[in-house]
Amino acid sequence: RSSEPPGCSLRLPGAAVPTGCAAGRAPLAPSTRSDIRDCSADPPYLPPTATNTTARLAVLRGILRTHGAHAYIVPATDAHMSEYISERDARLGWLSGFTGSAGTAVVTRDEAALWTDSRYWTQAERELDCNWELQRTRTPPSIVTWILKVVPAEGNVSLDPFLFSIDTWNSYSRALHGSGRTLLPLETNLVDQAWGDQRPLPSSSEIYSLPAEFTGSSWQEKVAGIRQRMEQHARRPTAVLLSGLEETAWLFNLRGDDIPYNPVFYSYTLLTNTTISLFVEQARLSEEARQSLRSGCPGPLCVELQEYGQVSAHLRRYAQGNVTVWLGTEYTTYGLYAIIPQEKLLEESYSPVMMAKAVKNTHEQEMLRAAHVRADPIPTVPCRLGGDFRGLSASMHFAGQAQEHSRGPSFQSISASGLNAALAHYSPSNGSSRTLSAREMYLFDTGGQYLDGTTDITRTVHWGEPTPLQKEAYTRVLMGNIDLSRLVFPSNTAGRTVESFARRALWDVGLNYGHGTGHGIGNFLSVHEWPVGFQSNNVPLEAGMFTSIEPGYYQDGEFGIRIEDVALVVEAQTEKPFLTFEVVSLVPYDRNLIDLSLLSPEQIRYLNSYYERIRAHVGPELRRQRLEEAYAWLQESTEPFPVSSAGTAAAGSLALASLLSVLLSGLGV
């Protein structure tokens, strides 16, 4: 083991040695961790966060044999490819105990394994018992490789086709082809059978209309816009199938609460040139919502209400005609997709509704800005006032819930100190919670649902004396946030093309982070809104899109850092059509963790300009709310930094310009 501090050993070949990682430092002493399982111990050690799954697996294996299946694949999503799911759809969590949002399990007659990505490896080791083998990857080919080892030739590999995307199904099918194993779809969900009457009941709450002042346009205008896109498409589709829950919610300006933190409801929509079919539990519609949907009857703007469970039968009948159905493959399950004959399909990654929703109009932009001004001061104001350390309560408390237009949190807040913060998506439990300490890093990731917008922000602080490594790592994460936030780039640039600007300061010293750099965000919808972001399957950035910018660094077992802001893509002040970001999150960064000597003059000027905006927009709001103590804290925290404190990193702007030139060379710019 290297004698350098943790993280220094991650240096890339040829990279400079990080400040504070000089040779001669004493190595950290090894420690025994009690927060994760140890299946090699005798008897095996399980932390209190682990779930005993022996009985559940036994029941499922009995059902497997009844259906003649040798393996059953269980995903972490629902029939709408939702990232966040209801308790009723948390099949993977119930079966395995693992509560991460990304994972796949395979249960055979004798074995069980779970696949997840690096964000959740430590969480899985905390939550799984020793019935489970943890596989540190997520790709279908790696899952099939394991299946081929444990499932005998001529065996059946089963799954629920209404819980898997088209691409995932095809990946399994290709990988198993010629292996002697059969991919066997079962429309009866075997986990649901094993769960039995202990499975939570579906939601019965009201589905309601969003007040007109909080919509970007009427639902009739939105329908007309989608029909116009249908007419303008070269294939001239006759219908659009909407499976994503936020698609139907956005299209009809309706909201519900079927999924925690997400104001959506279970539904499908089939929109044709002349008809509109909404598949939903009709009894749950408010009278106002029902009247709105039926106001255009009879006619092309009349919404025909059908029960949620009738979508497959209706689609099967519709597909018998001379039709072309346009769908987004990212949110459509293989079960629905297989109903439509191949020659009658128009497949694109995202539906026209998803694409229209991604670009906010002027009113939607102003609403999201306003939501961030009201909400964003709350997470960090209580943390430090006049040098006095004040512990924050558990993350279950959402600090913005008393704000105007609030409808609760947009996700379960991540309130993590010390080693818990090293888990990018830490979730508190009785077995993992820690008392806040001035001797540790503290990470707080929180957001709110407001009638005018959804918010998401992360800040990391240290109330005591940070180590040199912590301070440098934080500063480099901040540098990445700044460099991407102030970037000017050509129109139609894909987020993945510029994503590395958020990582470069970390890469310079051989550090990195294992999650995406950002995601889209909705207007009182999903806190993670596709298709906007910086990943390979996100669409090119356009003015009017909102995305988070959230680099981080995580030292396993010790500390974690993430700095997240929400930004609007806007037109840059350039002669040619270029774009840049306008950061709408307005919360200061922790001065205690910033090493100004690492920043360039341009980065310091950006910080000072950002702090001027915080004072101008947030200061009056705090005074309006009569939060004078918070106002004083804000003034102190946004004092300008001296540009003279900049270090040798000043030359970094030239390196950034050079890197951008290389990255964009393929665009012909």
Side-chain angles (χ1 to χ4, degrees):
R1 178 169 181 171
S2 169
S3 62
E4 294 173 329
C8 302
S9 59
L10 299 177
R11 222 169 42 245
L12 295 175
V17 176
T19 304
C21 294
R25 263 193 159 185
L28 293 176
S31 61
T32 301
R33 294 183 60 174
S34 61
D35 63 317
I36 60 175
R37 64 179 183 166
D38 183 357
C39 296
S40 64
D42 186 17
Y45 170 75
L46 296 178
T49 49
T51 299
N52 185 338
T53 63
T54 301
R56 300 171 187 183
L57 287 171
V59 173
L60 179 60
R61 284 171 173 144
I63 297 172
L64 272 180
R65 292 185 175 88
T66 300
H67 286 268
H70 295 82
Y72 193 66
I73 308 176
V74 183
T77 189
D78 61 13
H80 302 271
M81 301 289 98
S82 305
E83 177 184 6
Y84 294 96
I85 58 176
S86 70
E87 290 185 3
R88 180 176 174 81
D89 285 320
R91 298 174 178 90
L92 180 63
W94 175 81
L95 181 65
S96 69
F98 173 68
T99 60
S101 65
T104 302
V106 179
V107 176
T108 71
R109 295 181 179 182
D110 303 300
E111 300 186 52
L114 180 129
W115 286 256
T116 191
D117 60 53
S118 60
R119 295 173 297 167
Y120 297 109
W121 289 345
T122 301
Q123 180 177 337
E125 295 287 10
R126 289 179 171 185
E127 296 180 334
L128 297 176
D129 66 7
C130 292
N131 286 307
W132 293 86
E133 179 183 341
L134 177 61
Q135 301 284 336
R136 297 172 186 260
T137 180
R138 272 191 68 203
T139 62
S142 68
I143 296 174
V144 171
T145 298
W146 185 87
I147 289 174
L148 293 177
K149 292 179 181 177
V150 299
V151 173
E154 312 303 324
N156 291 325
V157 179
S158 298
L159 48 71
D160 182 343
F162 288 91
L163 293 180
F164 288 85
S165 70
I166 301 162
D167 286 344
T168 302
W169 170 277
N170 289 335
S171 295
Y172 286 130
S173 181
R174 285 192 300 267
L176 287 172
H177 181 71
S179 70
R181 284 82 172 174
T182 301
L183 188 60
L184 180 65
L186 295 174
E187 293 192 14
T188 298
N189 190 284
L190 304 191
V191 175
D192 291 351
Q193 283 191 356
W195 208 343
D197 58 9
Q198 297 302 306
R199 186 183 178 206
L201 295 173
S203 175
S204 59
S205 61
E206 186 177 72
I207 300 168
Y208 58 94
S209 291
L210 197 59
E213 62 267 31
F214 298 112
T215 64
S217 53
S218 70
W219 72 258
Q220 292 90 343
E221 291 171 322
K222 293 178 180 180
V223 166
I226 300 305
R227 282 175 169 161
Q228 184 177 33
R229 292 183 182 225
M230 293 166 63
E231 293 174 4
Q232 294 172 347
H233 198 287
R235 290 278 307 277
R236 300 295 294 271
T238 61
V240 174
L241 175 65
L242 305 179
S243 293
L245 298 183
E246 60 190 62
E247 295 179 295
T248 290
W250 177 86
L251 182 64
F252 295 114
N253 293 329
L254 298 175
R255 299 295 187 268
D257 64 355
D258 288 9
I259 295 179
Y261 312 113
N262 293 260
V264 295
F265 51 94
Y266 288 112
S267 57
Y268 295 95
T269 297
L270 187 67
L271 171 64
T272 77
N273 295 322
T274 57
T275 65
I276 311 169
S277 297
L278 170 58
F279 302 88
V280 66
E281 190 176 344
Q282 299 179 42
R284 295 175 53 204
L285 288 167
S286 71
E287 186 58 33
E288 181 186 8
R290 185 183 297 271
Q291 290 180 5
S292 174
L293 296 171
R294 302 290 293 171
S295 61
C297 299
L301 289 175
C302 172
V303 179
E304 300 171 0
L305 299 175
Q306 304 201 38
E307 287 302 318
Y308 173 77
Q310 295 301 309
V311 62
S312 294
H314 183 93
L315 190 59
R316 188 171 287 107
R317 288 193 300 270
Y318 181 78
Q320 291 174 359
N322 183 23
V323 299
T324 301
V325 180
W326 190 0
L327 54 78
T329 57
E330 290 285 337
Y331 281 84
T332 305
T333 65
Y334 182 81
L336 277 184
Y337 171 85
I339 292 173
I340 307 168
Q342 193 69 37
E343 68 275 9
K344 298 181 180 182
L345 281 167
L346 169 55
E347 302 175 48
E348 294 184 359
S349 295
Y350 301 100
S351 77
V353 168
M354 196 69 81
M355 297 299 295
K357 177 171 57 63
V359 180
K360 310 323 185 201
N361 63 28
T362 301
H363 183 55
E364 290 168 326
Q365 293 174 26
E366 289 305 318
M367 287 194 296
L368 266 168
R369 284 192 184 99
H372 282 81
V373 169
R374 286 196 316 275
D376 279 353
I378 302 303
T380 51
V381 166
C383 300
R384 191 179 182 188
L385 294 170
D388 175 33
F389 169 72
R390 302 186 180 187
L392 295 179
S393 59
S395 68
M396 301 301 179
H397 172 69
F398 169 59
Q401 60 192 2
Q403 294 291 312
E404 186 180 13
H405 307 318
S406 174
R407 290 299 181 270
S410 55
F411 57 95
Q412 180 177 322
S413 296
I414 299 172
S415 175
S417 67
L419 60 87
N420 285 338
L423 305 179
H425 290 77
Y426 168 72
S427 179
S429 68
N430 290 335
S432 65
S433 297
R434 298 166 59 85
T435 300
L436 296 185
S437 168
R439 296 185 296 275
E440 294 184 325
M441 303 276 280
Y442 175 69
L443 185 153
F444 192 43
D445 185 348
T446 187
Q449 291 288 8
Y450 302 87
L451 290 174
D452 50 355
T454 304
T455 69
D456 185 8
I457 188 168
T458 308
R459 289 294 182 263
T460 306
V461 298
H462 198 301
W463 292 294
E465 185 65 32
T467 68
L469 175 62
Q470 290 172 337
K471 194 165 185 175
E472 177 171 356
Y474 180 92
T475 303
R476 291 187 177 277
V477 170
L478 177 61
M479 291 163 68
N481 182 292
I482 292 172
D483 289 342
L484 185 53
S485 297
R486 69 187 184 96
L487 189 67
V488 177
F489 53 93
S491 297
N492 205 41
T493 296
R496 65 180 181 276
T497 304
V498 298
E499 191 258 7
S500 58
F501 282 87
R503 299 179 186 268
R504 185 178 184 273
L506 288 165
W507 284 357
D508 280 345
V509 292
L511 304 181
N512 204 357
Y513 52 93
H515 56 73
T517 294
H519 54 79
I521 195 163
N523 281 90
F524 188 35
L525 271 174
S526 297
V527 70
H528 292 171
E529 183 174 270
W530 291 77
V532 180
F534 299 95
Q535 299 186 49
S536 60
N537 56 349
N538 291 140
V539 298
L541 296 168
E542 294 182 38
M545 292 179 171
F546 280 82
T547 180
S548 69
I549 296 175
E550 49 181 302
Y553 176 69
Y554 309 90
Q555 188 68 34
D556 188 31
E558 296 184 33
F559 65 87
I561 299 163
R562 185 163 62 255
I563 300 174
E564 176 185 19
D565 293 311
V566 171
L568 168 64
V569 182
V570 297
E571 294 180 357
Q573 300 300 308
T574 53
E575 292 185 9
K576 293 185 178 181
F578 275 59
L579 301 172
T580 189
F581 296 105
E582 173 198 329
V583 174
V584 300
S585 300
L586 298 171
V587 176
Y589 309 115
D590 187 7
R591 304 174 80 93
N592 189 37
L593 282 165
I594 300 175
D595 183 350
L596 291 177
S597 70
L598 292 174
L599 302 183
S600 69
E602 291 85 355
Q603 290 167 333
I604 293 179
R605 291 189 187 99
Y606 172 88
L607 271 181
N608 290 340
S609 175
Y610 175 58
Y611 281 2
E612 287 177 7
R613 289 181 53 229
I614 293 176
R615 285 187 170 189
H617 292 281
V618 178
E621 176 66 22
L622 292 177
R623 287 204 147 168
R624 184 185 71 84
Q625 298 182 36
R626 299 181 179 179
L627 299 173
E628 293 301 326
E629 189 179 21
Y631 177 80
W633 170 88
L634 187 77
Q635 295 298 107
E636 176 188 347
S637 300
T638 53
E639 282 291 325
F641 294 101
V643 177
S644 60
S645 299
T648 56
S653 59
L654 292 176
L656 286 175
S658 174
L659 180 58
L660 180 60
S661 175
V662 172
L663 290 172
L664 299 179
S665 61
L667 300 177
V669 177

